[in-house]
Amino acid sequence: MNMRLSYGMGFILLFVPCSLLVAFTHYPAFKALLNSFWNNGSSIRPSRFVGARNYEALLEDDKLMQVLSNSFIYAIGTVPLAIALAIGMALLVNSRLPATGLMRLSFFLPTMLPMVAVANIWLFFYAPGIGLASQILNAFGLPSINFLGSTDTSLVSMMVVAVWKEAGLFMIFYLAALQSIPTNLKDAARLEGAGSVRIFFDVVMPLLRPTTIFVAVNALINAFRLVDHIVVMTRGGPNNSSSLLLYYIYEVTFGFRDFAYGATLTVLMVVILGFMAAIQFWVLNRKAHYQ
Amino acid sequence: MNARMRTALPLVMSAAIACSASMAQAADLEFYFPVGVNAPAVATIEQLTNAWAAQNPQHSVKAVYAGNYEETTTKALTAAQAGDPPQVAVLLAIDIFTLIEEDVILPISDIATSDADKAWIDSFYDGFMVDTMFDGKVYSIPFQRSTPVFYYNKDAFRAAGLDPEVTPATWDEMVEMGKKLTVKDSNGNVTQWGTRIPNLGLAGAWLFGGLVKSKGDGLSTDTGTEARFNTEAAKASLEFLQRLADEEVMAPGGITWGDTPKAFLEGQAASIWTSTGNLAFINENAEFDWGVGFLPGGDGPGAPVGGGNFYIFKDITDEERDAALDFVRFMTTPENQAIWSMATGYIAPSQAAWETPEMQAYSERLPQALVALEQMPHAYREFATFQRARVTQYLVDAIEGVITGGTDAATALAEAQEKADEVLGEYR
């Protein structure tokens, strides 16, 4: 059991995961950073070193400003909503109601579907005139709404899809956390005369905090990472109203084939995400209660 | 074990060398193609490639379905830059400038030099050849070409008191007839719109090119360095789109390409502007009497052409190049154009194809197919420049900004023009 590995063996064991990490994470990240200091070349116009010119372009890019504001609205809108819904659903399926198994399954179902399938389902919901949402509105005598074709509603429509898809996954984490809370804590609180609202906020919520940190970080990462539905449903339109940062990076890099500016945007995204993760851990960790 | 391997290895190697030596005259072609319509396209492509391989047993061809147009271009470019290009690919006609800039394609007029080859290149309709040319050379061969036409519901025309055999020819007629075709329920909600012109994304920009053409202008030229956004014709076209929404002829806001045939089939729109590529789909699914006409125009008829062409790539062996040319010639014989056109709804790009007995019978059976052909003399090339994806996006942003009510036409187009000139200035 305590047999020491030789250095050679240790090196070999380390080499495999390290080379994978270097090849697929560190090298591309380093390369992106490097590319961001060169301009975009093609076969007939080789690229050359331009220093910080790509970063100056960031500041003058009106579209980037809109995309960033979309991304922040999207994150601020979807993360708390998905968490609140996940807690609500977890409480519901954790209670002693009939058919909780069926409820758990149906809440979790959207999570199991691939995002592209989800996007196609919602395309049908949203289609003006022929979609499900329009038919429900029409049944009440209301005019149909052009959800994806209007700059006012396209981003919100994307957020609804994301929350619908994500909340079920987070529910599972909350459900596990709820079931690990000892019942004697709640019994003691009840004995002291606390109502169920008081118990939830003063006993259950503090014990759920580590889960909340975990879920919040993941939800935030997903808010920046998942853009499959944008590709399928709106392609960032109309007039860039539903374009998110990662979609913009994809559009610039593979649509416009501007690898240099795409790399610059990627660096920006990594900086933003790193910064937010640091804040999140710092704020929430100070208040977290780990057992 | 080791000894046995040591003797086996040279054997295997010499077999491999012998094998490759005997194959020197033959070529293994890789052929990338996209699918962009609701049609059994893959099966038809395979049927045609297998027929070529059967005629040329010394060669082989692998048909690779590579996704939609955009994905196919990305895959072909990536493969070419990695030094392993497909020998042949069907890519968007408007990708010509990107492919030239990346220096990955061969001008077909440089390798097809015999008299028979020249006659073959001359056999295609001029309307489909304009966007194959750059700097006096032909870079691609028309294959799956389409143009939008005006599909209309004859029953809805009758219900509105309109003559079901007469389609609106001008924009004013479109508005006038469209008003009669728009139907509201008792709550005042529209249940049937007069017309439907997709105006979002690349499809929106494609149709927009037709509107501009009908006002006697074009969005781009054959130099690839000019974008003509800030013109009277473009402004009038954008204002026409706005007017359709203002006068309740068309739903306000953004209209998607994908839902358009469905909206027509479900009676949500009395008429639609969409590709001939949807002919077969609508013919199979329409439960009402329908017809096809020219797109209504501003000063006269006008339409864009779109679709994909055959390209032959650089950095391939001479045998592969000759085989690739032979393959492209085979795929575009009049008979094979007819097979492809009938299976998909794409317009057969040469007169000879329309004269085959199969096509004659087909156009008798489905006379709507002829309308697109008759509209061809009024069609203009699809928007194409160097840095096409980026420059087209400026146009898309301008159109979407106006139809969603954010900006006025003149400002939006002037801004798009300024950005386009900035990008294209480097290429002039």
Side-chain angles (χ1 to χ4, degrees):
Chain A
M1 203 53 179
N2 277 332
M3 198 178 70
R4 284 187 61 142
L5 285 174
S6 69
Y7 281 111
M9 193 61 188
F11 181 76
I12 291 168
L13 287 177
L14 267 179
F15 179 76
V16 175
C18 281
S19 57
L20 287 177
L21 205 62
V22 166
F24 293 106
T25 307
H26 296 152
Y27 173 71
F30 180 70
K31 186 79 183 158
L33 185 64
L34 218 59
N35 279 351
S36 71
F37 294 106
W38 290 69
N39 80 348
N40 198 44
S42 61
S43 300
I44 57 173
R45 291 186 314 157
S47 73
R48 57 200 162 73
F49 185 78
V50 292
R53 184 127 10 116
N54 287 327
Y55 290 91
E56 285 163 25
L58 281 183
L59 298 176
E60 288 159 17
D61 188 348
D62 298 340
K63 192 164 163 185
L64 175 65
M65 293 308 139
Q66 190 185 354
V67 166
L68 279 180
S69 96
N70 286 347
S71 293
F72 283 108
I73 294 171
Y74 183 87
I76 290 168
T78 53
V79 174
L81 198 60
I83 291 176
L85 255 177
I87 294 176
M89 293 194 300
L91 288 172
L92 203 61
V93 298
N94 193 37
S95 61
R96 289 193 192 80
L97 291 172
T100 46
L102 194 66
M103 261 197 285
R104 281 178 199 179
L105 179 70
S106 56
F107 289 158
F108 193 61
L109 202 61
T111 306
M112 298 197 296
L113 294 172
M115 195 56 161
V116 173
V118 168
N120 277 301
I121 293 171
W122 280 85
L123 265 184
F124 165 70
F125 285 170
Y126 283 144
I130 39 186
L132 190 68
S134 277
Q135 288 181 0
I136 292 172
L137 285 169
N138 290 346
F140 290 101
L142 298 165
S144 39
I145 297 171
N146 191 352
F147 291 100
L148 302 180
S150 157
T151 45
D152 301 327
T153 49
S154 61
L155 186 61
V156 175
S157 306
M158 292 298 110
M159 288 159 64
V160 170
V161 175
V163 170
W164 185 81
K165 164 112 175 81
E166 296 273 277
L169 177 67
F170 301 146
M171 175 198 78
I172 295 293
F173 295 116
Y174 278 113
L175 185 59
L178 281 176
Q179 291 185 340
S180 70
I181 293 177
T183 44
N184 57 4
L185 291 178
K186 287 193 246 178
D187 292 340
R190 203 166 286 123
L191 211 62
E192 301 274 341
S196 43
V197 175
R198 181 87 196 268
I199 292 176
F200 175 73
F201 281 105
D202 286 346
V203 178
V204 177
M205 275 304 273
L207 290 170
L208 289 180
R209 197 163 277 144
T211 311
T212 305
I213 297 175
F214 173 77
V215 166
V217 171
N218 271 289
L220 194 67
I221 291 171
N222 279 353
F224 282 86
R225 193 180 63 104
L226 268 185
V227 292
D228 311 24
H229 54 316
I230 311 276
V231 178
V232 176
M233 296 174 78
T234 64
R235 302 204 141 248
N239 202 10
N240 304 313
S241 58
S242 64
S243 188
L244 301 179
L245 184 55
L246 186 59
Y247 180 74
Y248 185 48
I249 293 175
Y250 169 78
E251 188 183 29
V252 166
T253 313
F254 297 104
F256 303 166
R257 302 186 64 75
D258 187 345
F259 297 102
Y261 195 55
T264 316
L265 288 167
T266 306
V267 172
L268 175 74
M269 179 157 167
V270 170
V271 169
I272 293 175
L273 278 182
F275 192 63
M276 286 199 306
I279 292 185
Q280 226 172 358
F281 274 113
W282 184 69
V283 169
L284 290 173
N285 249 339
R286 292 199 322 165
K287 293 190 171 177
H289 168 85
Y290 289 103
Q291 281 172 323
Chain B
M1 183 73 180
N2 259 338
R4 207 180 300 160
M5 256 181 78
R6 236 173 268 140
T7 49
L9 204 59
L11 268 179
V12 171
M13 276 173 70
S14 58
I17 290 163
C19 213
S20 62
S22 74
M23 300 278 280
Q25 293 306 308
D28 300 321
L29 296 184
E30 211 177 1
F31 162 45
Y32 286 9
F33 68 97
V35 173
V37 288
N38 301 323
V42 178
T44 312
I45 288 276
E46 274 168 4
Q47 174 200 335
L48 293 174
T49 51
N50 289 342
W52 181 78
Q55 279 186 16
N56 298 277
Q58 75 277 27
H59 301 315
S60 74
V61 58
K62 197 169 93 192
V64 180
Y65 164 58
N68 61 24
Y69 277 117
E70 213 175 306
E71 290 158 1
T72 309
T73 300
T74 305
K75 277 179 194 160
L77 274 176
T78 313
Q81 280 160 354
D84 184 25
Q87 286 76 17
V88 190
V90 169
L91 305 171
L92 281 177
I94 53 175
D95 278 334
I96 178 170
F97 298 112
T98 308
L99 295 165
I100 287 173
E101 181 170 8
E102 298 292 346
D103 198 23
V104 294
I105 49 168
L106 282 173
I108 290 185
S109 56
D110 282 5
I111 53 174
T113 47
S114 71
D115 287 344
D117 286 337
K118 282 180 185 154
W120 165 62
I121 290 176
D122 285 340
S123 71
F124 298 98
Y125 287 120
D126 291 342
F128 290 128
M129 289 305 285
V130 281
D131 51 13
T132 66
M133 284 187 259
F134 177 70
D135 221 10
K137 288 179 176 173
V138 173
Y139 277 85
S140 64
I141 293 297
F143 181 56
Q144 45 188 44
R145 304 309 302 266
S146 59
T147 194
V149 286
F150 181 81
Y151 293 76
Y152 68 105
N153 181 333
K154 290 188 179 178
D155 291 347
F157 269 53
R158 283 189 199 100
L162 296 166
D163 180 350
E165 300 309 322
V166 180
T167 57
T170 64
W171 290 351
D172 289 332
E173 281 176 26
M174 180 73 255
V175 172
E176 201 182 306
M177 292 166 83
K179 278 183 184 167
K180 292 184 188 153
L181 290 164
T182 301
V183 179
K184 290 182 179 177
D185 66 10
S186 53
N187 294 315
N189 297 327
V190 175
T191 55
Q192 174 186 291
W193 291 102
T195 198
R196 179 177 169 119
I197 308 177
N199 52 21
L200 291 177
L202 295 177
W206 184 53
L207 283 165
F208 187 74
L211 298 179
V212 172
K213 168 66 174 70
S214 78
K215 290 295 279 184
D217 210 333
L219 290 169
S220 61
T221 63
D222 57 6
T223 60
T225 57
E226 199 178 351
R228 301 175 47 78
F229 296 155
N230 199 7
T231 60
E232 284 307 310
K235 199 166 146 248
S237 306
L238 255 184
E239 282 164 357
F240 168 62
L241 286 178
Q242 263 182 302
R243 186 173 156 213
L244 287 176
D246 291 345
E247 307 221 17
E248 290 199 318
V249 171
M250 189 165 82
I255 293 176
T256 55
W257 169 264
D259 291 333
T260 299
K262 192 152 187 265
F264 182 61
L265 294 172
E266 303 229 337
Q268 296 280 332
S271 62
I272 56 170
W273 303 37
T274 193
S275 167
T276 49
N278 282 311
L279 260 181
F281 180 69
I282 287 176
N283 189 39
E284 264 164 45
N285 295 293
E287 287 166 359
F288 47 80
D289 193 9
W290 62 284
V292 166
F294 281 14
L295 297 180
D299 294 338
V305 287
N309 288 357
F310 274 107
Y311 291 90
I312 295 179
F313 279 72
K314 276 189 174 170
D315 297 329
I316 59 178
T317 65
D318 290 354
E319 289 79 24
E320 288 173 339
R321 195 190 62 205
D322 295 343
L325 182 64
D326 188 62
F327 175 71
V328 175
R329 287 201 54 168
F330 175 84
M331 295 294 278
T332 54
T333 59
E335 293 72 31
N336 287 340
Q337 282 177 41
I339 290 172
W340 182 237
S341 173
M342 289 184 291
T344 55
Y346 288 120
I347 311 169
S350 77
Q351 183 65 37
W354 287 90
E355 282 164 1
T356 58
E358 292 82 9
M359 273 315 262
Q360 295 281 341
Y362 169 70
S363 49
E364 236 163 76
R365 205 165 62 240
L366 193 66
Q368 287 97 329
L370 281 171
V371 173
L373 186 65
E374 286 158 13
Q375 192 182 246
M376 273 309 295
H378 310 289
Y380 190 66
R381 64 186 300 147
E382 183 175 4
F383 180 80
T385 60
F386 286 99
Q387 296 278 327
R388 174 184 64 81
R390 184 187 293 264
V391 179
T392 311
Q393 190 60 40
Y394 298 143
L395 176 63
V396 168
D397 287 348
I399 297 172
E400 292 183 352
V402 170
I403 50 135
T404 53
T407 32
D408 72 291
T411 322
L413 290 168
E415 193 187 327
Q417 184 72 55
E418 195 184 311
K419 289 178 175 169
D421 286 342
E422 201 176 304
V423 171
L424 293 173
E426 283 183 52
Y427 292 84
R428 287 180 191 149

